[in-house]
Amino acid sequence: YARSGDHHWDAKITIKGSTGHKVPRALTVEGEGGARLWGRWSVSRFSQGTIRGVMCAYETEGVAWPCVLVRGDPWLFDECQIRSAGAYAVMCAKQASVTVRRCGVGGMGSGSRRAINAVIIMDSSWCLLQVSVRVRVLDLRGYVAVVIECVFSSAELPDRGHRLRAPWRPADGERR
């Protein structure tokens, strides 16, 4: 459970699956309104879980690491903001299976606060983007990306510590 407010870490949070057994390790993160998690996430094979109701954000410092790197399956991100300044918001690799539902995905603004891409999919991975905001998909070599009812916007996001608007309500003038 993530309480409201800013939560920071310097390295990355890693969720490793069980290598000796084929039983996946599971994680569920539920966020209180206004929970903002500043740092990198890396989830490995034989892991699965749900992250709901939080903002996951990462500001790169020279190296373009993704905010969320998923190599496990299945993973669900629901009613979240997944943001990266200077890298990828979500990277799906090594046969990952990911659903991003009702989330804001992408950068944190213009210039150095832009994301390279919102979502990158590779290594026979699968990603479903459903009812999401600010999505730009890079699909390498024919891997699967499904985009349903997404809103594309160029919203500026505030610096750390400020609350973000609900991602599933498009602002006036945004396209569906």
Side-chain angles (χ1 to χ4, degrees):
Y1 186 77
R3 294 199 184 278
S4 181
D6 292 306
H7 308 279
H8 303 267
W9 57 91
D10 292 329
K12 65 181 173 185
I13 291 180
T14 302
I15 296 96
K16 289 189 175 190
S18 175
T19 54
H21 309 288
K22 297 290 181 176
V23 177
R25 292 196 178 148
L27 172 73
T28 299
V29 175
E30 294 277 342
E32 197 174 80
R36 294 172 298 274
L37 310 177
W38 295 90
R40 290 177 27 218
W41 293 82
S42 177
V43 296
S44 300
R45 293 184 65 206
F46 307 118
S47 69
Q48 63 186 20
T50 299
I51 297 179
R52 180 176 288 120
V54 298
M55 181 189 79
C56 298
Y58 179 65
E59 296 181 85
T60 62
E61 296 175 6
V63 179
W65 295 108
C67 178
V68 176
L69 171 60
V70 182
R71 293 173 293 217
D73 67 321
W75 277 89
L76 168 65
F77 295 86
D78 190 23
E79 297 183 359
C80 294
Q81 293 281 344
I82 306 171
R83 302 293 177 169
S84 175
Y88 306 98
V90 178
M91 179 180 282
C92 304
K94 302 202 186 254
Q95 302 173 346
S97 174
V98 180
T99 299
V100 178
R101 182 184 308 141
R102 298 181 301 227
C103 294
V105 182
M108 296 183 200
S110 59
S112 65
R113 295 180 58 81
R114 290 178 52 121
I116 295 171
N117 277 290
V119 179
I120 183 167
I121 303 161
M122 59 187 166
D123 302 331
S124 300
S125 294
W126 182 89
C127 183
L128 170 65
L129 303 168
Q130 190 173 33
V131 194
S132 296
V133 174
R134 184 76 174 127
V135 176
R136 180 177 168 205
V137 177
L138 174 61
D139 178 13
L140 300 176
R141 300 184 187 210
Y143 298 121
V144 178
V146 180
V147 181
I148 300 173
E149 296 183 37
C150 292
V151 177
F152 295 84
S153 70
S154 57
E156 292 283 321
L157 294 180
D159 291 330
R160 289 182 172 196
H162 295 280
R163 188 156 185 209
L164 301 174
R165 70 177 173 85
W168 53 91
R169 293 187 187 118
D172 292 337
E174 291 182 326
R175 295 179 290 144
R176 278 198 171 262

